[in-house]
Amino acid sequence: MSDETSNVVPAEPEPDGAPEAALTDADGNAVTPAGSETPDTADGDTSGGTESVVADAEDTDPENTDPANTGADDTDADDPDADDTDEPDRVNADIAVDDPAADDPSDTDDPSATDDPPETVDTETADVESGTVESGTVESGDVGQGDVEHGDVSAEDPADTDDHAPEDNTSDHNAPEDNASEDSAPVDSAYDDSAYDDTSALPAVAATQLDPDDDSWWKSAIFYQIYPRSFSDLNGDGVGDLAGVIDKLGYLELLGVDAIWLSPIMRSPMADHGYDVSDPRDIDPLFGDLALFDELVTEAHDRDIRVTMDLVPNHSSDQHPWFVAALASEPGSPERARYIFRDGRGEDGDEPPNNWVSVFGGPAWTRVPDPDGTPGQWYLHIFAAEQPDLNWENPEVFDDLATTLRFWLDRGVDGFRIDVAHGMAKPEDLPDMDLESVGLLENRDDDPRFNNYAVHDIHRKIRTVLDEYPGAANVGEIWVEDNERFAEYLRPDELHLGFNFRLAKAEFDPESIRAAIENSLDAVLSVGGTPTWTLSNHDVDREVTRYGRIAAAPDVDVDLGILRARAMLLVELALPGTIFIYNGAELGLPNADLADDVLQDPVWERSGHTERGRDGCRVPLPWEGFEPPFGFSTSADTWLPIPESWVRFTVEAQLEDVGSTLSLYRQAIEMRYDRPEFDGDTVEWYGAPEGCLAFRRSAGHLICALNTSDVPVPLPPGEILLTSYPLMDGQLAPNSAAWLA
């Protein structure tokens, strides 16, 4: 192990005094602090030299629970310009992985091929707050406004996009060669509606899920969310792609995750970065093609990693052939019946059918001309104008989704994350909403746009399809606060899992964290469901940024945020259920501070530049080197600029540092799998000093203690397994957590 100072873990906090209260056990009895002879760092034994760790499962000792014996994997520090970018399906693994089948490491067609290990890098510590953000040259198309009337649907040529380079695709769908729009108005589509259901692009031999005999893997799995645009770019266009994901599978195996969740990669004009799908049964050329996707599934399964995909059933793109056909048809036509078209209010129908607003800002209705050019009906879009809501009362809509589900499941996909799972059903009378109670990017339980009871029938139908594929599972994005209503989505014939965001929304204080945990467990246990836990995703600020905000300070204290995020990782992984990790969280990344002129989130445009949107948590990952793009791409012009100050967060800088955030993730994930203490579906709470909380797993009796105060506190008795930060004189340091057995 290197004896260099960690570039990620900040200096020890200075305690202001000693604690006045000691921990008590689950029965309320006082307990004595753990002895100072107990191992007191997350690093464990710091003697010995650096060892190379390989990702091969056969080489991992499942009995080894010494946090220090983690070593490091070798990182390819070769010049990224040397990569062969002419063939995006050729992958060169950056992380060295022992593969018994890889006899010739020089064979770059084999993702298991390895290069010579680089020299150890001593990275200079950088200040994230003061680092200069390079905006680069990012070309961003105008995002449609909610009040734009789609009066130019007769345009002869589809608008171009800077994101999409025309590429051959293995799909047989009649998709447009150029499928993005810089205008909110739909344009003539190259799709042929009659050919839309063509599924001849299925693989020659249908694949299966990773393990069809295991129908409960998802109950304790660790999912790793990949935002494909920002994960790894192998073809050098500045945008992440599927070849880049394949290239980093060795890294994900080393991290120890069970499954990856891919944010949308289907064909899309990218008005909302893939959440506006124009063909749900094809891969967008920006990311690759179906052949490359099939390769990803095969390679991931070979490493015992499952592949799940984002599904977007609430709405389609306005360039979907169905919507193009709807605009060309008369009111009341079968084509329009696939969406939610309504006549306007007022004498001339020039007012929207109700007062609903878009989640992204602006009105939720856009008026379109009738085929004769006169002002016509309005269509509903809960999100951007380029995302018209589908009418789930029309049986054609589910039939098409069922075809989509089977299309991907037959390629071996292991499940789906269902976007806006609580939003597909709309009330028949479309009542007005309370505009005072709802802000951007949020909804309440009484919001008529969401959580209507008819949505449960939709999920039951989806479940019948998934049940045809043993080993597949789905998780729904459910923004529902009421525990009873939340639990309804997890009944045995509906969703396997439901995203619960309470822990991600909790403040860094014991009361808020405990309430989030208790509510989350209560919400699922009433129906025998499995709880889910996450601290961040592509829609919320990264945990380091959230925890680093101090009310009186104008800037984010990134070092404080890192300390607290590390502590919350141990809290999260100590809980029963399923874990979701957002890419980059394992590196301790904060939000990036981006210049206004590079922002691309539709929220920025639709809010009239009053809300900056979600781009700050979507910046590409830093992999290696000392300057942007840090190995993410061979192009410095990445789709969002990477801050220079992120040099301290690269995988290369952290991989061989046993005190790094990346190493903490690896240790904690491995221990969660290997130790029997993590058994049990519920938790029992300990009494704890002010500013602290402690709980233990009901069956395995793992103890997790969290100190959110600014002074060290005693620990309950037990063997220390792991700490998020070194102990201070045998006590739990401020803003840190510990596991004990």
Side-chain angles (χ1 to χ4, degrees), residues 214 226 455 518 543 571 577 596 604 642 653 659 677 692-693 695 717:
D214 186 354
I226 292 177
V455 76
E518 290 180 331
E543 52 264 60
V571 172
D596 290 354
W604 175 241
I642 309 174
E677 288 86 357
C692 301
L693 65 78
F695 61 86

Side-chain angles (χ1 to χ4, degrees), residues 357-698:
V357 293
S358 163
V359 172
F360 290 165
W365 296 91
T366 293
R367 196 176 193 185
V368 296
D370 284 338
D372 63 4
T374 60
Q377 291 186 307
W378 299 72
Y379 72 87
L380 178 68
H381 50 88
I382 296 299
F383 296 91
E386 296 89 346
Q387 297 167 291
D389 281 50
L390 288 158
N391 175 20
W392 276 89
E393 295 181 4
N394 187 329
E396 280 189 77
V397 175
F398 175 75
D399 290 346
D400 187 69
L401 178 68
T403 301
T404 296
L405 291 169
R406 292 187 176 98
F407 179 86
W408 297 110
L409 290 165
D410 286 339
R411 309 189 91 90
V413 166
D414 300 283
F416 302 94
R417 177 262 190 186
I418 301 179
D419 186 60
V420 198
H422 64 311
M424 292 176 279
K426 308 299 189 296
E428 186 176 354
D429 57 348
L430 297 177
D432 282 351
M433 62 182 293
D434 180 3
L435 298 177
E436 304 261 325
S437 62
V438 179
L440 295 181
L441 295 175
E442 66 181 28
N443 63 269
R444 292 164 53 102
D445 283 356
D446 58 357
D447 188 332
R449 299 172 301 174
F450 300 97
N451 199 29
N452 293 283
Y453 274 105
V455 76
H456 297 289
D457 289 334
I458 300 171
H459 286 300
R460 290 188 186 98
K461 293 178 181 178
I462 293 173
R463 182 62 177 263
T464 61
V465 176
L466 260 72
D467 284 347
E468 299 171 13
Y469 296 82
N474 59 8
V475 55
E477 179 193 26
I478 309 170
W479 289 95
V480 176
E481 289 293 326
D482 181 77
N483 284 348
E484 257 184 58
R485 298 293 302 275
F486 185 90
E488 290 169 347
Y489 289 87
L490 301 180
R491 289 174 289 202
D493 60 347
E494 295 193 40
L495 292 164
H496 294 82
L497 295 167
F499 263 118
N500 187 315
F501 303 98
R502 289 182 176 89
L503 196 60
K505 294 168 66 176
E507 299 293 330
F508 190 73
D509 67 69
E511 293 77 17
S512 181
I513 295 167
R514 177 168 176 169
I517 294 172
E518 290 180 331
N519 283 337
S520 300
L521 292 173
D522 290 345
V524 300
L525 294 180
S526 64
V527 290
T530 299
T532 63
W533 313 99
T534 188
L535 297 176
S536 57
N537 62 30
H538 63 293
D539 284 333
V540 300
D541 285 344
R542 289 189 176 275
E543 52 264 60
V544 167
T545 292
R546 297 199 316 271
Y547 299 143
R549 289 194 181 109
I550 301 175
D555 299 319
V556 172
D557 185 337
V558 172
D559 287 339
L560 176 63
I562 291 171
L563 273 178
R564 292 176 169 179
R566 289 166 61 95
M568 286 302 296
L569 170 68
L570 295 197
V571 172
E572 179 186 30
L573 291 186
L575 294 167
T578 308
I579 306 295
F580 289 84
I581 296 170
Y582 180 46
N583 60 201
E586 77 278 13
L587 303 178
L589 291 181
N591 271 27
D593 187 11
L594 301 173
D596 290 354
D597 61 351
V598 304
L599 297 179
Q600 300 188 36
D601 191 336
V603 173
W604 175 241
E605 292 295 335
R606 291 185 60 84
S607 68
H609 293 183
T610 60
E611 297 289 338
R612 294 179 59 78
R614 301 157 292 178
D615 289 325
C617 68
R618 299 177 174 183
V619 172
L621 301 192
W623 290 95
E624 62 186 14
F626 301 97
E627 60 185 16
F630 297 116
F632 164 75
S633 174
T634 57
S635 170
D637 186 16
T638 53
W639 78 279
L640 286 174
I642 309 174
E644 291 181 346
S645 56
W646 279 17
V647 65
R648 70 189 286 204
F649 297 111
T650 66
V651 172
E652 182 181 48
Q654 298 192 47
L655 196 58
E656 296 188 6
D657 180 356
V658 296
S660 70
T661 300
L662 176 57
S663 291
L664 179 66
Y665 267 76
R666 290 176 55 200
Q667 294 171 52
I669 290 172
E670 181 180 7
M671 200 170 289
R672 188 176 191 264
Y673 287 133
D674 293 343
R675 299 285 302 205
E677 288 86 357
F678 289 83
D679 290 340
D681 295 331
T682 59
V683 301
E684 301 163 346
W685 294 96
Y686 279 71
E690 184 178 354
C692 301
L693 65 78
F695 61 86
R696 71 180 179 188
R697 290 286 284 271
S698 57

Side-chain angles (χ1 to χ4, degrees), residues 103-181:
D103 295 327
D104 183 4
S106 65
D107 184 0
T108 56
D109 286 329
D110 184 350
S112 64
T114 60
D115 295 330
D116 291 333
E119 297 180 0
T120 302
V121 178
D122 180 14
T123 309
E124 294 289 330
T125 301
D127 185 353
V128 172
E129 300 99 298
S130 61
T132 302
V133 178
E134 293 193 3
S135 58
T137 306
V138 178
E139 297 184 17
S140 174
D142 295 333
V143 179
Q145 305 299 304
D147 56 356
V148 175
E149 294 195 359
H150 286 200
D152 56 348
V153 293
S154 60
E156 294 184 0
D157 298 321
D160 293 329
T161 174
D162 294 330
D163 279 344
H164 291 65
E167 294 179 21
D168 290 336
N169 196 289
T170 59
S171 169
D172 292 333
H173 296 293
N174 294 320
E177 300 223 359
D178 198 353
N179 60 352
S181 172

